[in-house]
Amino acid sequence: MSCCSMCFAAQLVHNERMNSMPEWTDLRYFLELARAGTLSGASRRLGVEHTTVARRIDRLESQLGSTLFDRSREGYELTEMGHALLPHAEAMESAALTATDQLGAASVSAHGVVRLGVPEMFGTLVIAPLLVHLLKDHPELSVDLLVQPRFANLATREADLGVMLDPPNTGRYVFTRLATFRLNLYASPDYLARHPPIRSEADLAEHEFVDYVQDRLASNELNFLDKLGFTPKRRLCCTGMMAQCEAAAAGMGLIMAPPYAIPASGTLVPVLQDSFFTERSYWLAAPSDLYRLQRVRVVWNLLREYAEQHPSLFMHTESNKS
């Protein structure tokens, strides 16, 4: 235990003897401010005015006799004592969430808010429509869908569960392989008509590509063109695949993408489909304590079942090659 943690533990013992232990509601405000980093961000997540958040934090710091945040124009950052308090507050949050969920376990429908972090295109085209049906079946359940060109940070509790390319390698998490997907090469018919034919991998060196911004990769697993054997001519790079697909469909260049990202309209067609491809895996992960909650497991099970039942979203089959 660090010196600061020992001091904090001693402070808690002192407060307990003086019958002035922090209230859970104040610790909840502390957690949300630690995660959001700003009063406005915490107030949105808590559904209160930002002045209420500030007042609760001031009261908590006064009660503990410690400064928990450094204030600046950029926001609120945890002090050393704030970092010492964080695991204790998270443990109380976990116990409160578990108790609340178990008390409602007899209910047929899951209830509460689940925050799900997903890759941008996968979340937009696959997960969002899927959640519409889930929420109809569970009227007391709400979902915050974090659709972004990076992966949700589960360590800071940015999300309750997330879909990612790299499974957690430290900490207490439950994770499983959601699906292995194949990335094939695509181009617009217009691009192919205006450029030399592509009959083999050797021909690719003369062509242009749409890809991720290389120094902004959210994961090394997003380096799809590493198997080319040459440095590709990247004409346009984007931080998200949605923009890449739009650019490729407009004739900017070749793109590597999974089946679920390709529109049925024919604006992108496969190139060297059976000979040039690469594979990656999506992982589904959640902190161990949150995985025990009924509402989190409902979303977890939905994603796993849907991925198992719709393999054509991830791998080309005879039915979706045409």
Side-chain angles (χ1 to χ4, degrees), residues 208-235:
E208 299 167 346
F209 289 83
V210 178
D211 197 10
Y212 282 97
V213 178
Q214 294 302 288
D215 63 353
R216 295 295 181 90
L217 294 178
S219 166
N220 288 332
E221 294 292 297
L222 294 176
N223 189 357
F224 301 141
L225 299 179
D226 55 359
K227 63 172 292 183
L228 283 174
F230 60 86
T231 301
K233 298 177 181 178
R234 294 182 172 93
R235 287 300 308 282

mmCIF file of all heavy atoms in Angstrom, residues 208-235:
data_model
loop_
_atom_site.group_PDB
_atom_site.id
_atom_site.type_symbol
_atom_site.label_atom_id
_atom_site.label_comp_id
_atom_site.label_asym_id
_atom_site.label_seq_id
_atom_site.Cartn_x
_atom_site.Cartn_y
_atom_site.Cartn_z
ATOM 1 N N GLU A 208 -3.989 3.501 -55.901
ATOM 2 C CA GLU A 208 -4.125 4.405 -54.764
ATOM 3 C C GLU A 208 -5.057 3.799 -53.716
ATOM 4 O O GLU A 208 -5.979 3.049 -54.059
ATOM 5 C CB GLU A 208 -4.655 5.756 -55.249
ATOM 6 C CG GLU A 208 -3.705 6.425 -56.243
ATOM 7 C CD GLU A 208 -4.350 7.590 -56.961
ATOM 8 O OE1 GLU A 208 -5.592 7.711 -56.899
ATOM 9 O OE2 GLU A 208 -3.623 8.375 -57.591
ATOM 10 N N PHE A 209 -4.820 4.179 -52.463
ATOM 11 C CA PHE A 209 -5.564 3.590 -51.362
ATOM 12 C C PHE A 209 -6.183 4.661 -50.458
ATOM 13 O O PHE A 209 -5.663 5.771 -50.333
ATOM 14 C CB PHE A 209 -4.646 2.704 -50.505
ATOM 15 C CG PHE A 209 -4.240 1.425 -51.176
ATOM 16 C CD1 PHE A 209 -3.170 1.400 -52.066
ATOM 17 C CD2 PHE A 209 -4.927 0.250 -50.935
ATOM 18 C CE1 PHE A 209 -2.794 0.234 -52.695
ATOM 19 C CE2 PHE A 209 -4.556 -0.931 -51.552
ATOM 20 C CZ PHE A 209 -3.478 -0.943 -52.440
ATOM 21 N N VAL A 210 -7.289 4.263 -49.842
ATOM 22 C CA VAL A 210 -7.906 5.027 -48.764
ATOM 23 C C VAL A 210 -7.663 4.224 -47.490
ATOM 24 O O VAL A 210 -7.917 3.014 -47.461
ATOM 25 C CB VAL A 210 -9.413 5.229 -49.001
ATOM 26 C CG1 VAL A 210 -10.032 5.992 -47.840
ATOM 27 C CG2 VAL A 210 -9.652 5.954 -50.319
ATOM 28 N N ASP A 211 -7.179 4.866 -46.444
ATOM 29 C CA ASP A 211 -6.765 4.113 -45.256
ATOM 30 C C ASP A 211 -6.951 4.960 -44.001
ATOM 31 O O ASP A 211 -7.413 6.102 -44.057
ATOM 32 C CB ASP A 211 -5.292 3.712 -45.413
ATOM 33 C CG ASP A 211 -4.879 2.590 -44.456
ATOM 34 O OD1 ASP A 211 -5.764 1.997 -43.806
ATOM 35 O OD2 ASP A 211 -3.668 2.318 -44.357
ATOM 36 N N TYR A 212 -6.557 4.394 -42.858
ATOM 37 C CA TYR A 212 -6.563 5.115 -41.591
ATOM 38 C C TYR A 212 -5.375 6.080 -41.521
ATOM 39 O O TYR A 212 -4.325 5.840 -42.133
ATOM 40 C CB TYR A 212 -6.459 4.146 -40.413
ATOM 41 C CG TYR A 212 -7.749 3.442 -40.072
ATOM 42 C CD1 TYR A 212 -8.010 2.158 -40.540
ATOM 43 C CD2 TYR A 212 -8.712 4.067 -39.272
ATOM 44 C CE1 TYR A 212 -9.195 1.510 -40.217
ATOM 45 C CE2 TYR A 212 -9.893 3.422 -38.946
ATOM 46 C CZ TYR A 212 -10.129 2.150 -39.423
ATOM 47 O OH TYR A 212 -11.308 1.518 -39.115
ATOM 48 N N VAL A 213 -5.520 7.151 -40.755
ATOM 49 C CA VAL A 213 -4.397 8.037 -40.449
ATOM 50 C C VAL A 213 -3.416 7.234 -39.602
ATOM 51 O O VAL A 213 -3.758 6.793 -38.504
ATOM 52 C CB VAL A 213 -4.866 9.299 -39.698
ATOM 53 C CG1 VAL A 213 -3.678 10.183 -39.353
ATOM 54 C CG2 VAL A 213 -5.897 10.064 -40.525
ATOM 55 N N GLN A 214 -2.214 7.036 -40.107
ATOM 56 C CA GLN A 214 -1.308 6.063 -39.518
ATOM 57 C C GLN A 214 -0.805 6.427 -38.126
ATOM 58 O O GLN A 214 -0.534 5.544 -37.315
ATOM 59 C CB GLN A 214 -0.126 5.832 -40.459
ATOM 60 C CG GLN A 214 -0.516 5.174 -41.766
ATOM 61 C CD GLN A 214 -1.208 3.837 -41.561
ATOM 62 O OE1 GLN A 214 -0.567 2.852 -41.191
ATOM 63 N NE2 GLN A 214 -2.511 3.783 -41.782
ATOM 64 N N ASP A 215 -0.671 7.706 -37.818
ATOM 65 C CA ASP A 215 -0.201 8.064 -36.479
ATOM 66 C C ASP A 215 -1.352 8.303 -35.508
ATOM 67 O O ASP A 215 -1.148 8.792 -34.404
ATOM 68 C CB ASP A 215 0.719 9.283 -36.518
ATOM 69 C CG ASP A 215 0.024 10.537 -37.020
ATOM 70 O OD1 ASP A 215 -1.141 10.438 -37.458
ATOM 71 O OD2 ASP A 215 0.641 11.616 -36.978
ATOM 72 N N ARG A 216 -2.566 7.957 -35.931
ATOM 73 C CA ARG A 216 -3.732 8.077 -35.051
ATOM 74 C C ARG A 216 -4.484 6.754 -34.918
ATOM 75 O O ARG A 216 -5.673 6.745 -34.615
ATOM 76 C CB ARG A 216 -4.691 9.147 -35.593
ATOM 77 C CG ARG A 216 -4.125 10.562 -35.605
ATOM 78 C CD ARG A 216 -3.853 11.062 -34.206
ATOM 79 N NE ARG A 216 -3.344 12.426 -34.195
ATOM 80 C CZ ARG A 216 -4.106 13.511 -34.117
ATOM 81 N NH1 ARG A 216 -5.419 13.376 -34.059
ATOM 82 N NH2 ARG A 216 -3.572 14.700 -34.102
ATOM 83 N N LEU A 217 -3.798 5.646 -35.135
ATOM 84 C CA LEU A 217 -4.448 4.345 -35.058
ATOM 85 C C LEU A 217 -4.873 4.049 -33.616
ATOM 86 O O LEU A 217 -4.066 4.133 -32.691
ATOM 87 C CB LEU A 217 -3.505 3.243 -35.539
ATOM 88 C CG LEU A 217 -3.115 3.261 -37.021
ATOM 89 C CD1 LEU A 217 -2.133 2.136 -37.317
ATOM 90 C CD2 LEU A 217 -4.344 3.134 -37.919
ATOM 91 N N ALA A 218 -6.135 3.695 -33.438
ATOM 92 C CA ALA A 218 -6.620 3.337 -32.108
ATOM 93 C C ALA A 218 -6.091 1.984 -31.666
ATOM 94 O O ALA A 218 -6.116 1.648 -30.479
ATOM 95 C CB ALA A 218 -8.153 3.320 -32.105
ATOM 96 N N SER A 219 -5.593 1.192 -32.608
ATOM 97 C CA SER A 219 -5.017 -0.123 -32.334
ATOM 98 C C SER A 219 -4.103 -0.485 -33.495
ATOM 99 O O SER A 219 -4.379 -0.145 -34.650
ATOM 100 C CB SER A 219 -6.118 -1.184 -32.184
ATOM 101 O OG SER A 219 -5.576 -2.496 -32.248
ATOM 102 N N ASN A 220 -3.034 -1.185 -33.211
ATOM 103 C CA ASN A 220 -2.160 -1.661 -34.281
ATOM 104 C C ASN A 220 -2.879 -2.643 -35.191
ATOM 105 O O ASN A 220 -2.458 -2.877 -36.330
ATOM 106 C CB ASN A 220 -0.906 -2.316 -33.688
ATOM 107 C CG ASN A 220 0.051 -1.306 -33.088
ATOM 108 O OD1 ASN A 220 0.091 -0.152 -33.515
ATOM 109 N ND2 ASN A 220 0.801 -1.726 -32.084
ATOM 110 N N GLU A 221 -3.965 -3.214 -34.688
ATOM 111 C CA GLU A 221 -4.762 -4.139 -35.488
ATOM 112 C C GLU A 221 -5.462 -3.440 -36.647
ATOM 113 O O GLU A 221 -6.012 -4.087 -37.539
ATOM 114 C CB GLU A 221 -5.797 -4.835 -34.600
ATOM 115 C CG GLU A 221 -5.215 -5.761 -33.557
ATOM 116 C CD GLU A 221 -4.566 -6.985 -34.185
ATOM 117 O OE1 GLU A 221 -5.274 -7.780 -34.824
ATOM 118 O OE2 GLU A 221 -3.327 -7.124 -34.056
ATOM 119 N N LEU A 222 -5.480 -2.112 -36.645
ATOM 120 C CA LEU A 222 -6.095 -1.357 -37.735
ATOM 121 C C LEU A 222 -5.143 -1.145 -38.912
ATOM 122 O O LEU A 222 -5.517 -0.540 -39.915
ATOM 123 C CB LEU A 222 -6.588 0.003 -37.234
ATOM 124 C CG LEU A 222 -7.733 -0.036 -36.229
ATOM 125 C CD1 LEU A 222 -8.055 1.363 -35.733
ATOM 126 C CD2 LEU A 222 -8.973 -0.671 -36.861
ATOM 127 N N ASN A 223 -3.941 -1.649 -38.808
ATOM 128 C CA ASN A 223 -2.988 -1.557 -39.921
ATOM 129 C C ASN A 223 -3.273 -2.698 -40.887
ATOM 130 O O ASN A 223 -2.578 -3.702 -40.913
ATOM 131 C CB ASN A 223 -1.552 -1.622 -39.399
ATOM 132 C CG ASN A 223 -0.532 -1.310 -40.464
ATOM 133 O OD1 ASN A 223 -0.876 -1.096 -41.624
ATOM 134 N ND2 ASN A 223 0.729 -1.302 -40.083
ATOM 135 N N PHE A 224 -4.298 -2.518 -41.717
ATOM 136 C CA PHE A 224 -4.763 -3.586 -42.585
ATOM 137 C C PHE A 224 -3.856 -3.809 -43.796
ATOM 138 O O PHE A 224 -3.876 -4.880 -44.395
ATOM 139 C CB PHE A 224 -6.174 -3.287 -43.089
ATOM 140 C CG PHE A 224 -7.190 -3.120 -41.988
ATOM 141 C CD1 PHE A 224 -8.173 -2.151 -42.078
ATOM 142 C CD2 PHE A 224 -7.160 -3.937 -40.872
ATOM 143 C CE1 PHE A 224 -9.117 -1.996 -41.075
ATOM 144 C CE2 PHE A 224 -8.098 -3.786 -39.857
ATOM 145 C CZ PHE A 224 -9.074 -2.812 -39.957
ATOM 146 N N LEU A 225 -3.094 -2.806 -44.185
ATOM 147 C CA LEU A 225 -2.302 -2.900 -45.411
ATOM 148 C C LEU A 225 -0.878 -3.379 -45.167
ATOM 149 O O LEU A 225 -0.037 -3.311 -46.051
ATOM 150 C CB LEU A 225 -2.274 -1.534 -46.107
ATOM 151 C CG LEU A 225 -3.634 -0.978 -46.533
ATOM 152 C CD1 LEU A 225 -3.474 0.392 -47.182
ATOM 153 C CD2 LEU A 225 -4.340 -1.930 -47.488
ATOM 154 N N ASP A 226 -0.600 -3.885 -43.949
ATOM 155 C CA ASP A 226 0.761 -4.283 -43.619
ATOM 156 C C ASP A 226 1.227 -5.506 -44.398
ATOM 157 O O ASP A 226 2.417 -5.782 -44.479
ATOM 158 C CB ASP A 226 0.903 -4.539 -42.116
ATOM 159 C CG ASP A 226 -0.088 -5.559 -41.586
ATOM 160 O OD1 ASP A 226 -0.909 -6.069 -42.382
ATOM 161 O OD2 ASP A 226 -0.052 -5.848 -40.373
ATOM 162 N N LYS A 227 0.313 -6.253 -45.019
ATOM 163 C CA LYS A 227 0.693 -7.463 -45.736
ATOM 164 C C LYS A 227 0.979 -7.217 -47.210
ATOM 165 O O LYS A 227 1.258 -8.157 -47.960
ATOM 166 C CB LYS A 227 -0.400 -8.526 -45.589
ATOM 167 C CG LYS A 227 -1.742 -8.143 -46.200
ATOM 168 C CD LYS A 227 -2.703 -9.325 -46.190
ATOM 169 C CE LYS A 227 -2.243 -10.402 -47.141
ATOM 170 N NZ LYS A 227 -3.189 -11.548 -47.204
ATOM 171 N N LEU A 228 0.918 -5.965 -47.656
ATOM 172 C CA LEU A 228 1.115 -5.676 -49.069
ATOM 173 C C LEU A 228 2.545 -5.959 -49.546
ATOM 174 O O LEU A 228 2.758 -6.337 -50.686
ATOM 175 C CB LEU A 228 0.780 -4.208 -49.356
ATOM 176 C CG LEU A 228 -0.709 -3.846 -49.427
ATOM 177 C CD1 LEU A 228 -0.878 -2.343 -49.563
ATOM 178 C CD2 LEU A 228 -1.368 -4.562 -50.598
ATOM 179 N N GLY A 229 3.518 -5.730 -48.664
ATOM 180 C CA GLY A 229 4.897 -5.925 -49.073
ATOM 181 C C GLY A 229 5.511 -4.696 -49.709
ATOM 182 O O GLY A 229 6.665 -4.722 -50.150
ATOM 183 N N PHE A 230 4.760 -3.608 -49.766
ATOM 184 C CA PHE A 230 5.270 -2.330 -50.264
ATOM 185 C C PHE A 230 4.500 -1.216 -49.582
ATOM 186 O O PHE A 230 3.449 -1.447 -48.981
ATOM 187 C CB PHE A 230 5.117 -2.226 -51.791
ATOM 188 C CG PHE A 230 3.690 -2.320 -52.264
ATOM 189 C CD1 PHE A 230 2.873 -1.187 -52.324
ATOM 190 C CD2 PHE A 230 3.147 -3.540 -52.642
ATOM 191 C CE1 PHE A 230 1.558 -1.270 -52.750
ATOM 192 C CE2 PHE A 230 1.830 -3.632 -53.071
ATOM 193 C CZ PHE A 230 1.039 -2.503 -53.127
ATOM 194 N N THR A 231 5.030 -0.003 -49.642
ATOM 195 C CA THR A 231 4.352 1.135 -49.040
ATOM 196 C C THR A 231 3.246 1.612 -49.982
ATOM 197 O O THR A 231 3.528 2.054 -51.098
ATOM 198 C CB THR A 231 5.329 2.293 -48.785
ATOM 199 O OG1 THR A 231 6.375 1.834 -47.917
ATOM 200 C CG2 THR A 231 4.613 3.474 -48.138
ATOM 201 N N PRO A 232 1.987 1.492 -49.559
ATOM 202 C CA PRO A 232 0.890 1.861 -50.465
ATOM 203 C C PRO A 232 0.794 3.369 -50.681
ATOM 204 O O PRO A 232 1.229 4.156 -49.839
ATOM 205 C CB PRO A 232 -0.347 1.331 -49.731
ATOM 206 C CG PRO A 232 0.041 1.326 -48.300
ATOM 207 C CD PRO A 232 1.496 1.011 -48.266
ATOM 208 N N LYS A 233 0.229 3.744 -51.812
ATOM 209 C CA LYS A 233 -0.001 5.159 -52.108
ATOM 210 C C LYS A 233 -1.304 5.578 -51.440
ATOM 211 O O LYS A 233 -2.392 5.400 -51.986
ATOM 212 C CB LYS A 233 -0.092 5.375 -53.620
ATOM 213 C CG LYS A 233 1.170 5.013 -54.376
ATOM 214 C CD LYS A 233 0.949 5.182 -55.886
ATOM 215 C CE LYS A 233 2.188 4.795 -56.675
ATOM 216 N NZ LYS A 233 1.969 4.908 -58.140
ATOM 217 N N ARG A 234 -1.197 6.125 -50.247
ATOM 218 C CA ARG A 234 -2.380 6.543 -49.498
ATOM 219 C C ARG A 234 -2.784 7.946 -49.942
ATOM 220 O O ARG A 234 -2.163 8.932 -49.562
ATOM 221 C CB ARG A 234 -2.112 6.504 -48.000
ATOM 222 C CG ARG A 234 -1.870 5.103 -47.428
ATOM 223 C CD ARG A 234 -1.655 5.164 -45.926
ATOM 224 N NE ARG A 234 -1.614 3.850 -45.312
ATOM 225 C CZ ARG A 234 -0.497 3.155 -45.094
ATOM 226 N NH1 ARG A 234 0.679 3.662 -45.465
ATOM 227 N NH2 ARG A 234 -0.536 1.967 -44.536
ATOM 228 N N ARG A 235 -3.848 8.063 -50.737
ATOM 229 C CA ARG A 235 -4.285 9.355 -51.228
ATOM 230 C C ARG A 235 -5.138 10.099 -50.214
ATOM 231 O O ARG A 235 -5.135 11.324 -50.141
ATOM 232 C CB ARG A 235 -5.089 9.182 -52.530
ATOM 233 C CG ARG A 235 -4.253 8.816 -53.729
ATOM 234 C CD ARG A 235 -3.196 9.864 -54.042
ATOM 235 N NE ARG A 235 -3.740 11.217 -54.141
ATOM 236 C CZ ARG A 235 -4.400 11.700 -55.190
ATOM 237 N NH1 ARG A 235 -4.600 10.938 -56.260
ATOM 238 N NH2 ARG A 235 -4.853 12.945 -55.204
#
